[in-house]
Amino acid sequence: MSQSLKNVIKQAEQIILGKPQQIRLALACLLARGHLLIEDMPGVGKTTLAQVLARSLNLQFQRIQFTSDLLPADILGVSVYQRDNEKFEFHPGPIFAQMILADEVNRATPKAQSALLEAMEEQQVTIEGTTRPLPAPFFVIATQNPLHQAGTFPLPESQLDRFLMRIQMGYPDAQAERGLLSGVDRRELIAGLGPQMESAELLALQQRVRQVFASPALLDYLQAILRHTREAARYTHGLSPRAGLALLSAARAWALLDEREAVIPEDVQAVLPGVVSHRLQAAGEYQKQNSDTLARELIEAVAIP
Amino acid sequence: MSKALLYGLLLSILMVSAPHADHLPPWVSALCAALLAWRAYLAHSGGALPMRWLLLTITFASVGGILIEFRTLFGREVGVTLLILLTTLKFMELRGPRDAMVLVYLACFIIITNFFYSQSIPSALYMLATLLVTTTAWVHLHGQSIPLGGRLRIASVLLLQAIPLMLILFVLFPRVQGPLWGLPQDAFASTGLDDKMAPGSFARLSLSEEVAFRVGYAGQTPLREQMYWRGPVLWEFDGRTWTPGEAVAPAAPQFTDTTQPIDYSVTLEPHNKTWLFALDMPDRLSIPARLTHDFRILRKDPVKARLRYEARSHLGYRANPNEAKRQIQRALQLPPSFNPRTRQLAAGWRADSMDDNAVVRAALAHFSQQNFRYTLQPPPLGAHSVDEFLFETRQGFCEHYASSFVFLMRAAQIPARVVTGYQGGEFNALGNYYIVRQSDAHAWAEVWLPGQGWVRIDPTAAIAPGRIERGLSAAVTDAAALPFMARNPPDWMRKLRLNWDALANQWNQWVLGYDTERQFAFLTRLGMESVTWQKMALNMMAGVAFIVALFALFMLRHLFKRQPDKVQAAWLKLCRRLAKAGLPRAAHEGAQDYAARVAAARPDLADAIGEVAARYTALRYENRFDPASLQAFQRMVAAFKL
């Protein structure tokens, strides 16, 4: 692993205390060219994580606050008539940035949501008949409030699938919380962060992730997991082939973060909760389980071949 | 380019060119040897290669020399000479792998040219050896780090893999009759029976152990003393030499009262003459040829390639019982004023009896009673050769007896002629055929008796019956003059020679003699209906594709089957041992996690389990599988102490 990547992790851990796993998952997601959905209560550091990553990786950062009156044009941009040269001129929206924090996506209407999600999927936007590519790297961190509030539009399963991972921040432990409370203001700290990596290096790392070796034995394991979700009675439906690909590329990124050239089952297990929790739904009597338990049970149910 | 590779290529070129040395112009052989030696020296000393202008000068000078020597740049001899010369020169500018590749191809091509000159089993085996050396050099070119043994092994495997392809191509490649596929006509030298007979000509021939032809009998085998293989018939005598003479107006042979038919097949070695050999008297032949009035079989063109034919002869016959007057006259001609004593002797017999048979008996009795000797080294004869032989030296070989007997008959007014050919042969039980060698060459006589036609009389049989019944070495009084193998070789040596000849015969019949006809017959027997060359070509391509696909599947089998089950087996064994020690691995637990857990529970095992797990992970999940690290892992597991 490059020194700069280590520095990124170190820097993030200094600001987001007690959440090394979440930081690594977010980075793995970024390296695997996926998008991240963070689902948690307000005030647990979702925005901070996005800001820290954007700063450390020297990415253009844009934040879009999703509200119920948000229109697609507010995300994508709009053409405005210029009187001087008698032409329409395109004003790019906030989506034209390298890192987007889409805050509280479930508060916007499905129309606005899908404008974002389509851009995420296709790495380009088509506005008024013109296709415009989005910058690379392009990484979206969306946050979602899990509380069932009136006037929200939870993302449907098909849209959830667009996110490589869904993670939860969770409360900090006592020691981390003490550090948080006794330390300097986070906003000041973020302002003082320096870039640790150029975007060219990030693109090269994304390329290297694709070359991490997945042996036949590892693919056997991956397939065993997929088969189990499709055959076991406790899930409403099994994992899709796209979910399998997502699992593999996330595991590759994890292996790279672990400084390995090949994926091992532990990598798969590490990323599995993040990758499958928003794609799997417990059926019947298991519905009450939270998604973490579901993922852990899945890991324990499948023997490594 | 490594020295070893260079020496390998040198050896290969040397081996493929060596058989050509005796038919290249001597100065070309010497030049090539010098150039190769020079290159070897440069490789050894690490010196710089010669300048381009020097090479160009040598090239143009030697091509000019070849042009002067052969007066052409086309044809087999010139082509081979140029090929070898330019190949050797190519060596002088051998710098990179590309040049080496060209040399390998050239070496393969020179291997083919060797077959223009010899197609025997030993040369085929030698070419196989050169092919192995060349392929080894080729392997070396692509794998500089492979040791010599490994290169040889790879090359051998490659050649073995080529065998099925070779068989398919050999059997199915459409044989087309014509000059394109045939060998050059001058590819075969000729030795053997001539159509002239002078004292000494058969004795010389009898020293040769070369095969004249091979005979397989289809049904009944005649007795050895009946095996007279008829060749040129000689009518005219000039006092010393017998020749066929001018044939008078050709008439069809008359052939009646035939009994004892014999069917056989003859595989004739090329002798560059138009006549074929058949048993007395030939009747039917499987190939187009002409039967002359005196029962010779003539082909239109000289036999320049090995020829196989089936024939039927009749051992009992009456040949030309109504001979034309002119033929009778021809058979009574004698050169005037030679051999007066012989004429006198014959006239005396004729005066005693008017019966032709009695005269013949008297002549044979003369030979058997007057202390004649059958010898390979008769004393030289002067102008009256028959007189001197009959009355003074009394030592001769078959041509002396045949010649003097016919002379005696003609002097006694009995029509007679000399017949030459082969007599007898050696039976090869292994292949169930007879080998007729040049040493079996023989000359005998035919006399024409009224009502009986031409009757064979062999005067040699009167002096040395053993020659006809058992062969030359049993009959001559001075067998020591014969070549070793013709005398009385030890039994094992004779057997070895017969085995070898049987093998050579099969080789001739099935490999060299596999022509259009045989190919069609063979494919029909294999069940191919209505054989056409298109069908053969299609089958050939399909067969080649099948074999290549088969080998490809075999070589790429690791893509279909996974290897590391041994890795897993060793790992599971270790897990079971740890489970007995109270540290079972959960089914879903990865090696690293498990190792960490074991290390936490048993700090004494931390290092060992960490190493094993790392090795296991590398073998199973990394793209670095190799047998050596598998063995290391297996040893590690075996040595693991709880």
Side-chain angles (χ1 to χ4, degrees):
Chain A
M1 183 168 51
S2 63
Q3 188 57 44
S4 39
L5 201 51
K6 280 182 192 162
N7 290 342
V8 170
I9 294 173
K10 208 166 109 195
Q11 205 159 265
E13 283 176 353
Q14 281 167 0
I15 301 202
I16 304 155
L17 299 175
K19 297 288 168 202
Q21 186 77 358
Q22 279 78 353
I23 292 168
R24 285 171 79 92
L25 280 173
L27 258 179
C29 191
L30 175 58
L31 290 176
R33 298 178 205 229
H35 303 285
L36 183 64
L37 180 64
I38 306 178
E39 194 175 65
D40 220 325
M41 316 249 295
V44 287
K46 295 175 292 202
T47 314
T48 314
L49 177 64
Q51 280 176 336
V52 168
L53 285 181
R55 283 224 163 230
S56 309
L57 299 169
N58 198 19
L59 301 174
Q60 278 173 282
F61 180 70
Q62 280 285 359
R63 177 189 172 129
I64 309 171
Q65 181 63 53
F66 278 52
T67 53
S68 55
D69 56 356
L70 189 79
L71 293 174
D74 297 334
I75 301 171
L76 306 176
V78 69
S79 288
V80 179
Y81 185 72
Q82 297 294 110
R83 190 169 296 184
D84 309 348
N85 51 11
E86 301 188 337
K87 271 184 184 163
F88 282 95
E89 200 168 274
F90 180 66
H91 288 247
I95 191 86
F96 288 91
Q98 289 172 311
M99 180 176 280
I100 315 288
L101 176 65
D103 226 353
E104 299 189 87
V105 274
N106 56 342
R107 284 184 60 196
T109 55
K111 203 171 180 180
Q113 285 173 355
S114 64
L116 172 75
L117 294 162
E118 274 171 38
M120 276 162 54
E121 182 69 16
E122 292 169 15
Q123 295 267 317
Q124 62 184 29
V125 289
T126 304
I127 305 151
E128 292 153 12
T130 314
T131 300
R132 293 165 207 276
L134 291 171
F138 179 69
F139 183 46
V140 174
I141 298 178
T143 69
Q144 187 167 247
N145 205 323
L147 302 176
H148 291 286
Q149 296 171 330
T152 60
F153 301 93
L155 291 171
E157 277 152 41
S158 61
Q159 304 284 43
L160 282 172
D161 203 30
R162 306 275 165 99
F163 290 95
L164 182 65
M165 288 187 202
R166 183 181 73 174
I167 61 172
Q168 285 161 347
M169 294 300 282
Y171 296 120
D173 58 26
Q175 191 192 350
E177 190 135 42
R178 174 60 68 91
L180 211 58
L181 293 171
S182 60
V184 199
D185 179 29
R186 298 290 116 180
R187 253 171 296 178
E188 277 173 34
L189 278 177
I190 291 171
L193 287 180
Q196 298 294 336
M197 195 185 277
E198 292 304 314
S199 57
E201 194 181 349
L202 183 59
L203 285 172
L205 281 170
Q206 287 183 333
Q207 196 58 42
R208 262 184 65 196
V209 166
R210 296 181 173 197
Q211 288 156 7
V212 172
F213 180 70
S215 69
L218 189 275
L219 295 181
D220 281 351
Y221 178 52
L222 206 62
Q223 281 184 294
I225 293 173
L226 296 178
R227 199 165 48 239
H228 178 78
T229 65
R230 291 165 194 170
E231 286 167 0
R234 63 164 57 201
Y235 311 107
T236 51
H237 48 78
L239 287 171
S240 67
R242 177 156 49 174
L245 286 171
L247 193 53
L248 180 59
S249 59
R252 281 190 158 126
W254 192 264
L256 189 75
L257 283 173
D258 248 3
E259 300 177 62
R260 262 181 288 101
E261 294 295 323
V263 187
I264 62 173
E266 282 89 337
D267 298 328
V268 178
Q269 293 173 355
V271 298
L272 186 109
V275 175
V276 305
S277 66
H278 57 298
R279 292 181 164 101
L280 270 185
Q281 278 203 330
E285 50 176 314
Y286 304 104
Q287 263 172 352
K288 297 236 168 60
Q289 288 177 338
N290 75 22
S291 56
D292 266 354
T293 319
L294 205 65
R296 205 177 57 246
E297 281 178 358
L298 174 58
I299 290 172
E300 283 170 6
V302 180
I304 297 173
Chain B
M1 180 154 305
S2 75
K3 272 189 196 179
L5 173 55
L6 227 142
Y7 291 144
L9 280 170
L10 269 169
L11 179 66
S12 152
I13 297 292
L14 199 64
M15 281 180 77
V16 297
S17 313
H20 282 302
D22 70 324
H23 45 250
L24 291 182
W27 64 270
V28 175
S29 302
L31 178 62
C32 290
L35 285 172
L36 288 180
W38 187 15
R39 188 66 182 89
Y41 171 74
L42 287 181
H44 178 71
S45 65
L49 292 183
M51 308 280 217
R52 190 161 289 253
W53 63 265
L54 182 59
L55 285 181
L56 277 176
T57 312
I58 298 177
T59 308
F60 282 116
S62 39
V63 170
I66 287 172
L67 202 55
I68 291 169
E69 177 107 24
F70 291 96
R71 313 211 162 275
T72 172
L73 282 181
F74 298 99
R76 175 173 63 119
E77 300 290 338
V78 189
V80 170
T81 311
L82 275 176
L83 182 64
I84 290 182
L85 186 75
L86 295 179
T87 304
T88 324
L89 281 165
K90 179 79 199 164
F91 235 109
M92 299 310 295
E93 54 163 24
L94 171 61
R95 289 191 169 87
R98 188 179 155 278
D99 299 323
M101 207 63 216
V102 170
L103 274 173
V104 167
Y105 290 142
L106 283 171
C108 293
F109 200 75
I110 297 177
I111 291 178
I112 301 171
T113 63
N114 278 306
F115 288 111
F116 289 158
Y117 297 93
S118 169
Q119 304 173 318
S120 63
I121 299 176
S123 46
L125 288 176
Y126 178 74
M127 291 310 145
L128 193 64
T130 63
L131 191 59
L132 183 66
V133 171
T134 308
T135 314
T136 309
W138 194 3
V139 171
H140 196 179
L141 188 56
H142 292 284
Q144 302 268 354
S145 58
I146 308 171
L148 178 65
R151 297 201 297 270
L152 265 173
R153 201 176 47 82
I154 295 175
S156 314
V157 168
L158 280 172
L159 291 190
L160 285 177
Q161 286 170 340
I163 286 177
L165 287 181
M166 180 193 79
L167 287 178
I168 288 180
L169 290 175
F170 177 79
V171 171
L172 287 172
F173 194 91
R175 302 296 202 279
V176 181
Q177 266 167 339
L180 184 60
W181 305 107
L183 283 169
Q185 287 288 292
D186 52 350
F188 297 99
S190 60
T191 49
L193 204 62
D194 209 352
D195 60 351
K196 288 189 187 63
M197 185 180 87
S201 53
F202 277 74
R204 262 198 309 280
L205 206 52
S206 69
L207 299 180
S208 166
E209 283 296 289
E210 264 181 66
V211 174
F213 51 89
R214 296 181 176 87
V215 185
Y217 290 100
Q220 195 199 348
T221 306
L223 295 172
R224 192 192 153 88
E225 48 262 46
Q226 290 172 312
M227 291 185 202
Y228 279 86
W229 297 96
R230 191 179 184 87
V233 178
L234 311 177
W235 294 77
E236 251 169 46
F237 188 48
D238 65 356
R240 179 163 192 86
T241 308
W242 286 88
T243 52
E246 292 281 317
V248 281
Q254 292 177 314
F255 193 43
T256 55
D257 299 337
T258 52
T259 53
Q260 281 187 271
I262 299 280
D263 290 302
Y264 53 94
S265 68
V266 176
T267 309
L268 181 63
E269 297 293 310
H271 61 351
N272 213 9
K273 302 282 176 3
T274 56
W275 56 76
L276 305 182
F277 296 95
L279 278 180
D280 268 352
M281 288 294 194
D283 181 10
R284 239 179 269 163
L285 206 68
S286 64
I287 54 171
R290 187 164 66 88
L291 186 64
T292 64
H293 181 70
D294 47 8
F295 297 93
R296 286 172 298 141
I297 302 171
L298 293 183
R299 255 169 86 81
K300 208 156 145 275
D301 301 309
V303 180
K304 286 185 169 172
R306 196 173 284 107
L307 179 69
R308 188 188 144 90
Y309 53 90
E310 324 267 322
R312 166 176 283 188
S313 291
H314 292 276
L315 297 181
Y317 54 86
R318 222 195 291 214
N320 292 351
N322 306 313
E323 191 64 284
K325 199 92 187 144
R326 281 173 308 184
Q327 303 289 356
I328 302 286
Q329 281 306 317
R330 258 185 101 198
L332 289 171
Q333 295 278 318
L334 280 180
S337 72
F338 276 116
N339 305 316
R341 294 173 70 187
T342 310
R343 287 169 191 262
Q344 216 179 339
L345 178 67
W349 290 338
R350 176 49 87 191
D352 289 347
S353 163
M354 279 312 288
D355 180 14
D356 288 348
N357 279 315
V359 176
V360 170
R361 275 198 300 276
L364 291 177
H366 181 78
F367 283 131
S368 55
Q369 287 158 15
Q370 296 286 326
N371 201 20
F372 278 86
R373 274 177 63 207
Y374 185 61
T375 172
L376 276 168
Q377 292 159 307
L381 301 171
H384 299 284
S385 57
V386 180
D387 271 7
E388 285 174 38
F389 168 64
L390 280 179
F391 299 106
E392 285 159 33
T393 65
R394 291 198 171 98
Q395 294 179 33
F397 201 53
C398 59
E399 68 266 34
H400 298 84
Y401 293 99
S403 165
S404 52
F405 180 79
V406 172
F407 192 98
L408 279 169
M409 289 301 110
R410 289 189 177 184
Q413 296 300 309
I414 300 172
R417 61 193 183 192
V418 173
V419 182
T420 61
Y422 296 90
Q423 202 282 323
E426 185 180 12
F427 181 61
N428 192 341
L430 200 73
N432 197 24
Y433 64 95
Y434 279 83
I435 310 163
V436 178
R437 299 176 195 281
Q438 296 301 347
S439 55
D440 293 315
H442 192 51
W444 59 93
E446 273 180 346
V447 295
W448 187 83
L449 303 173
Q452 292 181 54
W454 291 99
V455 175
R456 182 177 63 227
I457 309 284
D458 189 353
T460 308
I463 303 111
R467 161 67 182 91
I468 309 305
E469 285 153 19
R470 293 192 300 281
L472 189 56
S473 59
V476 285
T477 48
D478 49 357
L482 283 171
F484 177 70
M485 285 309 290
R487 253 145 47 205
N488 204 4
D491 206 35
W492 63 268
M493 220 182 260
R494 181 191 294 277
K495 245 181 209 156
L496 197 67
R497 184 164 78 149
L498 286 178
N499 288 352
W500 177 252
D501 194 85
L503 193 66
N505 189 35
Q506 291 298 320
W507 174 261
N508 290 340
Q509 302 277 334
W510 286 106
V511 181
L512 303 182
Y514 188 75
D515 55 4
T516 321
E517 223 170 288
R518 289 221 149 192
Q519 187 174 36
F520 274 59
F522 183 68
L523 292 179
T524 311
R525 214 167 60 190
L526 280 188
M528 194 191 278
E529 282 164 29
S530 63
V531 183
T532 61
W533 70 264
Q534 290 96 328
K535 209 185 255 186
M536 279 193 267
L538 274 179
N539 271 297
M540 182 177 78
M541 284 187 270
V544 167
F546 176 73
I547 298 282
V548 169
L550 211 65
F551 279 130
L553 272 180
F554 180 71
M555 277 173 218
L556 301 176
R557 66 191 184 283
H558 64 272
L559 293 184
F560 310 105
K561 204 184 81 186
R562 234 171 322 124
Q563 168 59 251
D565 299 312
K566 284 180 182 164
V567 177
Q568 188 70 351
W571 170 249
L572 291 177
K573 202 170 108 188
L574 180 69
C575 292
R576 281 195 297 274
R577 282 176 61 199
L578 283 165
K580 276 182 198 159
L583 288 164
R585 182 179 74 95
H588 69 276
E589 206 168 16
Q592 302 293 332
D593 289 349
Y594 182 49
R597 193 160 63 81
V598 171
R602 291 277 302 271
D604 54 317
L605 295 177
D607 289 347
I609 189 76
E611 216 175 315
V612 171
R615 179 75 73 156
Y616 168 74
T617 306
L619 279 169
R620 190 156 170 82
Y621 295 108
E622 283 174 27
N623 195 10
R624 277 188 289 169
F625 182 83
D626 67 292
S629 58
L630 167 63
Q631 281 166 12
F633 175 63
Q634 285 169 328
R635 276 198 301 276
M636 204 181 270
V637 168
F640 193 90
K641 284 200 179 64
L642 278 172

